[in-house]
């Protein structure tokens, strides 16, 4: 259910972001404003955790996790900005369909960083459809 809710949310986010970009907001300003809106929400949600201290020490006691956190933070900003620039250049629908190729890269990075293939027949078939669909969009779009 969480994945479905995320999918619905992302669908609306892409369209609202396109509306804001068409309204003249730059991708950088949009990302800054989204960050300002979301930060208090994350702080409030973190405050509700029962194991706040444990969550902090998990990261602070492990230097490799600190680097992973920093790199993930930078990549989240970069990925969101790339998406916004793409939406500004094209449209939300096209960008969202092309962006959905990320599971292919997740598979590659999971093998490299986690040493885990996380692949089965269903995943392979689904990834093939994603690659095929992306190819059709790139050729015909």
């Amino acid at each position: 259910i969480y994945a479905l809710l995320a999918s619905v949310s992302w669908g609306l986010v892409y369209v609202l972001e396109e509306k804001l970009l068409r309204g003249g907001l730059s991708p950088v300003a949009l990302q800054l404003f989204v960050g300002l809106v979301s930060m208090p929400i994350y702080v409030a949600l973190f405050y509700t955790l029962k194991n706040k201290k444990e969550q902090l020490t998990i990261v602070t006691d492990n230097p490799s996790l600190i680097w992973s956190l920093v790199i993930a933070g930078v990549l989240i900003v970069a990925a969101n900005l790339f998406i916004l620039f793409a939406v500004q250049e094209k449209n939300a629908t096209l960008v969202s369909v092309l962006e959905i190729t990320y599971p292919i890269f997740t598979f590659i990075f999971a093998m490299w960083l986690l040493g885990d293939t996380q692949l089965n027949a269903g995943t392979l078939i689904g990834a093939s459809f994603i690659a095929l669909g992306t190819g059709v969009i790139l050729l015909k779009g």
Side-chain angles (χ1 to χ4, degrees):
I1 186 85
Y2 290 120
L4 180 59
L5 291 172
S7 185
V8 170
S9 297
W10 278 118
L12 182 55
V13 165
Y14 271 97
V15 173
L16 291 174
E17 287 174 339
E18 182 175 346
K19 181 178 181 179
L20 290 161
L21 291 168
R22 284 184 181 182
L25 208 53
S26 74
V28 173
L30 174 54
Q31 198 56 25
L32 173 66
F33 297 147
V34 167
L36 291 173
V37 169
S38 61
M39 181 66 162
I41 297 168
Y42 285 124
V43 170
L45 289 171
F46 184 79
Y47 183 75
T48 66
L49 292 177
K50 293 180 177 152
N51 59 347
K52 287 182 280 295
K53 187 175 180 180
E54 178 186 332
Q55 294 296 301
L56 291 171
T57 58
I58 287 171
V59 175
T60 58
D61 291 352
N62 189 334
S64 71
L65 289 184
I66 292 172
W67 279 111
S68 293
L69 184 64
V70 169
I71 293 167
V74 169
L75 288 172
I76 287 170
V77 170
N80 281 321
L81 283 173
F82 291 148
I83 288 169
L84 292 174
F85 282 116
V87 169
Q88 187 178 42
E89 188 176 296
K90 296 292 183 184
N91 63 66
T93 302
L94 178 64
V95 172
S96 67
V97 172
L98 293 176
E99 187 262 342
I100 201 64
T101 60
Y102 78 87
I104 296 166
F105 298 101
T106 302
F107 167 71
I108 293 167
F109 289 122
M111 282 191 339
W112 177 43
L113 296 173
L114 304 176
D116 187 0
T117 59
Q118 301 179 349
L119 186 65
N120 58 38
T123 308
L124 187 59
I125 291 169
S128 299
F129 281 126
I130 290 169
L132 266 165
T134 302
V136 169
I137 290 168
L138 289 174
L139 289 172
K140 299 294 181 183

